[in-house]
Amino acid sequence: MFLIGASCPKALLNNNYTFLQAISFWPPIVFIGIFLSSFSAALSCLIGASRVLYAMSCDGMFGPLLRITRKTNKKGNPYVAVLVTWVIVQLVLLIGKLNAIAPLVTIFFLLAYTACDLACLGLDWASAPNFRPTFKYFSWHTALLGSISTLAVMILVNYIWALVAIAIAIILSAISHYTAPRVAWGSISQQLIFHQVRKYALKVEKPI
C-alpha cells in the first residue's frame, strides 16, 4: 500500500480502479484476488451479521420486532436471520454505485468500532470485575483515543452520512432501552453511578 502510494500519481489512484492490472506481473491475478477477497468478505459478513441478529432476537432486544429471526432449522442454524440479513444487503446494493456504497459501509463499520471502544471505556471506568482485557497496552486512554479517532475518520469520509449513522445508532439505542427485557445485573450506567458513589464513600470515610 505504501509503495503504491509513493510510486503512483494521485490522478491514477483516483480515476483508474484497475491500475494494478497494468503493473502486475500477471494481470489476471488481480481480478482473481478481487473476486476471492470480495466473496470471502461478503460471506463472512453475511453469516456474522445474521448470528448477531439471531443473538439479539434471543436476548429479547427490540421486543417482538426481531422475534421471527429466532427460528432455526433442525441443525440450529438461524436461516431466517440469514434471509433477513440478505434482504437488507440487497436493498443497499440497489443504490447501484460502488462509490456511493463504499463510504456508507465504511462509516457503519467505523461506528461499530466506536461502539466497541465506548463499551470498553465504560467498563473500565466502572471497574467491572468481569472485564479483564488481555491487550497489554489497554487503558481507558487507548479506548478514548480509539473512539475519538474513529469518529474523526467518519466525519472525514462523509460528514453527512456520519451524522445520519450516529442518529440511527441513537434511535436504535433508545428503542432497545425501552424494549429490551430487564436483567438482574443492571446496566453500565447504573454501574458507573455505583462505582462513583463507592469511590466517594471510601474517600470521605475516616477510621474511628
Side-chain angles (χ1 to χ4, degrees), residues 182-203:
R182 301 302 174 186
V183 292
W185 55 83
S187 63
I188 192 170
S189 59
Q190 294 173 339
Q191 176 65 18
L192 283 170
I193 296 172
F194 173 76
H195 180 65
Q196 294 302 320
V197 172
R198 183 180 60 183
K199 285 176 59 178
Y200 180 76
L202 291 174
K203 183 181 295 186

PDB file of all heavy atoms in Angstrom, residues 182-203:
ATOM      1  N   ARG A 182     -35.666  -6.433  31.246  1.00  0.00           N
ATOM      2  CA  ARG A 182     -34.840  -6.052  32.386  1.00  0.00           C
ATOM      3  C   ARG A 182     -34.015  -7.244  32.847  1.00  0.00           C
ATOM      4  O   ARG A 182     -34.519  -8.373  32.901  1.00  0.00           O
ATOM      5  CB  ARG A 182     -35.711  -5.547  33.529  1.00  0.00           C
ATOM      6  CG  ARG A 182     -36.573  -4.353  33.161  1.00  0.00           C
ATOM      7  CD  ARG A 182     -35.712  -3.193  32.681  1.00  0.00           C
ATOM      8  NE  ARG A 182     -36.521  -2.084  32.202  1.00  0.00           N
ATOM      9  CZ  ARG A 182     -36.023  -1.012  31.622  1.00  0.00           C
ATOM     10  NH1 ARG A 182     -34.728  -0.916  31.437  1.00  0.00           N
ATOM     11  NH2 ARG A 182     -36.816  -0.031  31.202  1.00  0.00           N
ATOM     12  N   VAL A 183     -32.769  -6.981  33.183  1.00  0.00           N
ATOM     13  CA  VAL A 183     -31.859  -8.057  33.592  1.00  0.00           C
ATOM     14  C   VAL A 183     -31.431  -7.822  35.034  1.00  0.00           C
ATOM     15  O   VAL A 183     -31.472  -6.705  35.555  1.00  0.00           O
ATOM     16  CB  VAL A 183     -30.622  -8.112  32.668  1.00  0.00           C
ATOM     17  CG1 VAL A 183     -31.021  -8.569  31.284  1.00  0.00           C
ATOM     18  CG2 VAL A 183     -29.930  -6.758  32.599  1.00  0.00           C
ATOM     19  N   ALA A 184     -30.975  -8.903  35.673  1.00  0.00           N
ATOM     20  CA  ALA A 184     -30.638  -8.842  37.087  1.00  0.00           C
ATOM     21  C   ALA A 184     -29.341  -8.100  37.345  1.00  0.00           C
ATOM     22  O   ALA A 184     -29.126  -7.579  38.442  1.00  0.00           O
ATOM     23  CB  ALA A 184     -30.563 -10.258  37.663  1.00  0.00           C
ATOM     24  N   TRP A 185     -28.455  -8.075  36.336  1.00  0.00           N
ATOM     25  CA  TRP A 185     -27.140  -7.478  36.573  1.00  0.00           C
ATOM     26  C   TRP A 185     -27.097  -5.977  36.290  1.00  0.00           C
ATOM     27  O   TRP A 185     -26.047  -5.357  36.376  1.00  0.00           O
ATOM     28  CB  TRP A 185     -26.076  -8.185  35.744  1.00  0.00           C
ATOM     29  CG  TRP A 185     -26.375  -8.230  34.284  1.00  0.00           C
ATOM     30  CD1 TRP A 185     -26.139  -7.260  33.341  1.00  0.00           C
ATOM     31  CD2 TRP A 185     -26.992  -9.299  33.569  1.00  0.00           C
ATOM     32  NE1 TRP A 185     -26.557  -7.643  32.114  1.00  0.00           N
ATOM     33  CE2 TRP A 185     -27.090  -8.908  32.216  1.00  0.00           C
ATOM     34  CE3 TRP A 185     -27.477 -10.552  33.930  1.00  0.00           C
ATOM     35  CZ2 TRP A 185     -27.639  -9.721  31.244  1.00  0.00           C
ATOM     36  CZ3 TRP A 185     -28.017 -11.362  32.963  1.00  0.00           C
ATOM     37  CH2 TRP A 185     -28.099 -10.949  31.640  1.00  0.00           C
ATOM     38  N   GLY A 186     -28.219  -5.380  35.955  1.00  0.00           N
ATOM     39  CA  GLY A 186     -28.270  -3.941  35.765  1.00  0.00           C
ATOM     40  C   GLY A 186     -27.651  -3.496  34.456  1.00  0.00           C
ATOM     41  O   GLY A 186     -27.462  -4.285  33.527  1.00  0.00           O
ATOM     42  N   SER A 187     -27.300  -2.206  34.397  1.00  0.00           N
ATOM     43  CA  SER A 187     -26.742  -1.620  33.187  1.00  0.00           C
ATOM     44  C   SER A 187     -25.423  -0.947  33.519  1.00  0.00           C
ATOM     45  O   SER A 187     -25.067  -0.757  34.689  1.00  0.00           O
ATOM     46  CB  SER A 187     -27.708  -0.602  32.580  1.00  0.00           C
ATOM     47  OG  SER A 187     -27.910   0.474  33.482  1.00  0.00           O
ATOM     48  N   ILE A 188     -24.704  -0.561  32.474  1.00  0.00           N
ATOM     49  CA  ILE A 188     -23.411   0.064  32.692  1.00  0.00           C
ATOM     50  C   ILE A 188     -23.571   1.459  33.307  1.00  0.00           C
ATOM     51  O   ILE A 188     -22.709   1.914  34.073  1.00  0.00           O
ATOM     52  CB  ILE A 188     -22.615   0.125  31.375  1.00  0.00           C
ATOM     53  CG1 ILE A 188     -21.160   0.505  31.659  1.00  0.00           C
ATOM     54  CG2 ILE A 188     -23.242   1.123  30.402  1.00  0.00           C
ATOM     55  CD1 ILE A 188     -20.261   0.347  30.457  1.00  0.00           C
ATOM     56  N   SER A 189     -24.673   2.146  33.005  1.00  0.00           N
ATOM     57  CA  SER A 189     -24.901   3.455  33.620  1.00  0.00           C
ATOM     58  C   SER A 189     -25.095   3.316  35.131  1.00  0.00           C
ATOM     59  O   SER A 189     -24.566   4.121  35.912  1.00  0.00           O
ATOM     60  CB  SER A 189     -26.118   4.124  32.983  1.00  0.00           C
ATOM     61  OG  SER A 189     -27.277   3.323  33.138  1.00  0.00           O
ATOM     62  N   GLN A 190     -25.844   2.297  35.555  1.00  0.00           N
ATOM     63  CA  GLN A 190     -26.011   2.050  36.980  1.00  0.00           C
ATOM     64  C   GLN A 190     -24.681   1.687  37.634  1.00  0.00           C
ATOM     65  O   GLN A 190     -24.392   2.101  38.759  1.00  0.00           O
ATOM     66  CB  GLN A 190     -27.033   0.931  37.199  1.00  0.00           C
ATOM     67  CG  GLN A 190     -28.446   1.294  36.764  1.00  0.00           C
ATOM     68  CD  GLN A 190     -29.383   0.111  36.838  1.00  0.00           C
ATOM     69  OE1 GLN A 190     -28.949  -1.041  36.827  1.00  0.00           O
ATOM     70  NE2 GLN A 190     -30.682   0.391  36.911  1.00  0.00           N
ATOM     71  N   GLN A 191     -23.872   0.907  36.918  1.00  0.00           N
ATOM     72  CA  GLN A 191     -22.574   0.518  37.452  1.00  0.00           C
ATOM     73  C   GLN A 191     -21.651   1.730  37.617  1.00  0.00           C
ATOM     74  O   GLN A 191     -20.917   1.843  38.592  1.00  0.00           O
ATOM     75  CB  GLN A 191     -21.921  -0.512  36.526  1.00  0.00           C
ATOM     76  CG  GLN A 191     -20.507  -0.930  36.920  1.00  0.00           C
ATOM     77  CD  GLN A 191     -20.462  -1.664  38.235  1.00  0.00           C
ATOM     78  OE1 GLN A 191     -21.479  -2.161  38.705  1.00  0.00           O
ATOM     79  NE2 GLN A 191     -19.284  -1.721  38.842  1.00  0.00           N
ATOM     80  N   LEU A 192     -21.685   2.650  36.654  1.00  0.00           N
ATOM     81  CA  LEU A 192     -20.873   3.867  36.757  1.00  0.00           C
ATOM     82  C   LEU A 192     -21.282   4.706  37.962  1.00  0.00           C
ATOM     83  O   LEU A 192     -20.431   5.219  38.698  1.00  0.00           O
ATOM     84  CB  LEU A 192     -21.001   4.681  35.466  1.00  0.00           C
ATOM     85  CG  LEU A 192     -20.216   4.188  34.256  1.00  0.00           C
ATOM     86  CD1 LEU A 192     -20.624   4.948  33.003  1.00  0.00           C
ATOM     87  CD2 LEU A 192     -18.718   4.329  34.491  1.00  0.00           C
ATOM     88  N   ILE A 193     -22.597   4.861  38.161  1.00  0.00           N
ATOM     89  CA  ILE A 193     -23.073   5.626  39.313  1.00  0.00           C
ATOM     90  C   ILE A 193     -22.656   4.950  40.616  1.00  0.00           C
ATOM     91  O   ILE A 193     -22.167   5.592  41.554  1.00  0.00           O
ATOM     92  CB  ILE A 193     -24.609   5.787  39.239  1.00  0.00           C
ATOM     93  CG1 ILE A 193     -24.991   6.618  38.013  1.00  0.00           C
ATOM     94  CG2 ILE A 193     -25.144   6.434  40.514  1.00  0.00           C
ATOM     95  CD1 ILE A 193     -26.484   6.669  37.757  1.00  0.00           C
ATOM     96  N   PHE A 194     -22.839   3.635  40.675  1.00  0.00           N
ATOM     97  CA  PHE A 194     -22.468   2.894  41.887  1.00  0.00           C
ATOM     98  C   PHE A 194     -20.972   3.008  42.161  1.00  0.00           C
ATOM     99  O   PHE A 194     -20.547   3.179  43.308  1.00  0.00           O
ATOM    100  CB  PHE A 194     -22.863   1.431  41.725  1.00  0.00           C
ATOM    101  CG  PHE A 194     -22.372   0.538  42.841  1.00  0.00           C
ATOM    102  CD1 PHE A 194     -22.997   0.542  44.074  1.00  0.00           C
ATOM    103  CD2 PHE A 194     -21.280  -0.291  42.644  1.00  0.00           C
ATOM    104  CE1 PHE A 194     -22.549  -0.276  45.098  1.00  0.00           C
ATOM    105  CE2 PHE A 194     -20.817  -1.101  43.664  1.00  0.00           C
ATOM    106  CZ  PHE A 194     -21.461  -1.098  44.900  1.00  0.00           C
ATOM    107  N   HIS A 195     -20.162   2.920  41.103  1.00  0.00           N
ATOM    108  CA  HIS A 195     -18.712   2.994  41.274  1.00  0.00           C
ATOM    109  C   HIS A 195     -18.286   4.368  41.779  1.00  0.00           C
ATOM    110  O   HIS A 195     -17.431   4.470  42.670  1.00  0.00           O
ATOM    111  CB  HIS A 195     -18.022   2.689  39.943  1.00  0.00           C
ATOM    112  CG  HIS A 195     -16.528   2.736  40.018  1.00  0.00           C
ATOM    113  ND1 HIS A 195     -15.795   1.852  40.778  1.00  0.00           N
ATOM    114  CD2 HIS A 195     -15.615   3.567  39.428  1.00  0.00           C
ATOM    115  CE1 HIS A 195     -14.505   2.131  40.660  1.00  0.00           C
ATOM    116  NE2 HIS A 195     -14.374   3.158  39.847  1.00  0.00           N
ATOM    117  N   GLN A 196     -18.887   5.421  41.245  1.00  0.00           N
ATOM    118  CA  GLN A 196     -18.538   6.761  41.692  1.00  0.00           C
ATOM    119  C   GLN A 196     -18.968   6.998  43.144  1.00  0.00           C
ATOM    120  O   GLN A 196     -18.236   7.619  43.927  1.00  0.00           O
ATOM    121  CB  GLN A 196     -19.185   7.807  40.775  1.00  0.00           C
ATOM    122  CG  GLN A 196     -18.664   7.795  39.350  1.00  0.00           C
ATOM    123  CD  GLN A 196     -17.160   8.025  39.271  1.00  0.00           C
ATOM    124  OE1 GLN A 196     -16.607   8.849  39.992  1.00  0.00           O
ATOM    125  NE2 GLN A 196     -16.494   7.299  38.387  1.00  0.00           N
ATOM    126  N   VAL A 197     -20.152   6.508  43.505  1.00  0.00           N
ATOM    127  CA  VAL A 197     -20.615   6.644  44.887  1.00  0.00           C
ATOM    128  C   VAL A 197     -19.712   5.869  45.834  1.00  0.00           C
ATOM    129  O   VAL A 197     -19.366   6.338  46.935  1.00  0.00           O
ATOM    130  CB  VAL A 197     -22.079   6.170  45.007  1.00  0.00           C
ATOM    131  CG1 VAL A 197     -22.513   6.111  46.471  1.00  0.00           C
ATOM    132  CG2 VAL A 197     -22.999   7.089  44.215  1.00  0.00           C
ATOM    133  N   ARG A 198     -19.290   4.685  45.424  1.00  0.00           N
ATOM    134  CA  ARG A 198     -18.408   3.875  46.267  1.00  0.00           C
ATOM    135  C   ARG A 198     -17.059   4.559  46.456  1.00  0.00           C
ATOM    136  O   ARG A 198     -16.511   4.588  47.564  1.00  0.00           O
ATOM    137  CB  ARG A 198     -18.219   2.500  45.630  1.00  0.00           C
ATOM    138  CG  ARG A 198     -17.371   1.542  46.450  1.00  0.00           C
ATOM    139  CD  ARG A 198     -17.249   0.219  45.745  1.00  0.00           C
ATOM    140  NE  ARG A 198     -16.617   0.387  44.443  1.00  0.00           N
ATOM    141  CZ  ARG A 198     -16.444  -0.615  43.575  1.00  0.00           C
ATOM    142  NH1 ARG A 198     -16.894  -1.822  43.857  1.00  0.00           N
ATOM    143  NH2 ARG A 198     -15.853  -0.389  42.421  1.00  0.00           N
ATOM    144  N   LYS A 199     -16.507   5.127  45.373  1.00  0.00           N
ATOM    145  CA  LYS A 199     -15.237   5.831  45.487  1.00  0.00           C
ATOM    146  C   LYS A 199     -15.364   7.034  46.417  1.00  0.00           C
ATOM    147  O   LYS A 199     -14.480   7.295  47.245  1.00  0.00           O
ATOM    148  CB  LYS A 199     -14.764   6.281  44.101  1.00  0.00           C
ATOM    149  CG  LYS A 199     -14.207   5.170  43.237  1.00  0.00           C
ATOM    150  CD  LYS A 199     -13.846   5.667  41.856  1.00  0.00           C
ATOM    151  CE  LYS A 199     -12.812   6.765  41.898  1.00  0.00           C
ATOM    152  NZ  LYS A 199     -12.425   7.211  40.541  1.00  0.00           N
ATOM    153  N   TYR A 200     -16.468   7.761  46.291  1.00  0.00           N
ATOM    154  CA  TYR A 200     -16.675   8.937  47.141  1.00  0.00           C
ATOM    155  C   TYR A 200     -16.829   8.521  48.600  1.00  0.00           C
ATOM    156  O   TYR A 200     -16.302   9.173  49.510  1.00  0.00           O
ATOM    157  CB  TYR A 200     -17.905   9.700  46.664  1.00  0.00           C
ATOM    158  CG  TYR A 200     -18.208  10.932  47.489  1.00  0.00           C
ATOM    159  CD1 TYR A 200     -17.458  12.092  47.336  1.00  0.00           C
ATOM    160  CD2 TYR A 200     -19.244  10.918  48.425  1.00  0.00           C
ATOM    161  CE1 TYR A 200     -17.735  13.220  48.103  1.00  0.00           C
ATOM    162  CE2 TYR A 200     -19.525  12.034  49.188  1.00  0.00           C
ATOM    163  CZ  TYR A 200     -18.768  13.188  49.013  1.00  0.00           C
ATOM    164  OH  TYR A 200     -19.045  14.289  49.773  1.00  0.00           O
ATOM    165  N   ALA A 201     -17.559   7.417  48.830  1.00  0.00           N
ATOM    166  CA  ALA A 201     -17.771   6.957  50.199  1.00  0.00           C
ATOM    167  C   ALA A 201     -16.455   6.508  50.830  1.00  0.00           C
ATOM    168  O   ALA A 201     -16.197   6.782  52.011  1.00  0.00           O
ATOM    169  CB  ALA A 201     -18.783   5.814  50.218  1.00  0.00           C
ATOM    170  N   LEU A 202     -15.618   5.820  50.072  1.00  0.00           N
ATOM    171  CA  LEU A 202     -14.328   5.384  50.596  1.00  0.00           C
ATOM    172  C   LEU A 202     -13.406   6.571  50.853  1.00  0.00           C
ATOM    173  O   LEU A 202     -12.567   6.534  51.760  1.00  0.00           O
ATOM    174  CB  LEU A 202     -13.673   4.414  49.620  1.00  0.00           C
ATOM    175  CG  LEU A 202     -14.349   3.051  49.471  1.00  0.00           C
ATOM    176  CD1 LEU A 202     -13.683   2.234  48.367  1.00  0.00           C
ATOM    177  CD2 LEU A 202     -14.313   2.277  50.789  1.00  0.00           C
ATOM    178  N   LYS A 203     -13.563   7.627  50.065  1.00  0.00           N
ATOM    179  CA  LYS A 203     -12.691   8.787  50.231  1.00  0.00           C
ATOM    180  C   LYS A 203     -13.046   9.583  51.476  1.00  0.00           C
ATOM    181  O   LYS A 203     -12.175  10.060  52.205  1.00  0.00           O
ATOM    182  CB  LYS A 203     -12.789   9.679  48.987  1.00  0.00           C
ATOM    183  CG  LYS A 203     -11.856  10.887  49.032  1.00  0.00           C
ATOM    184  CD  LYS A 203     -12.028  11.731  47.787  1.00  0.00           C
ATOM    185  CE  LYS A 203     -11.587  10.978  46.539  1.00  0.00           C
ATOM    186  NZ  LYS A 203     -11.627  11.862  45.332  1.00  0.00           N
TER     187      LYS A 203
END
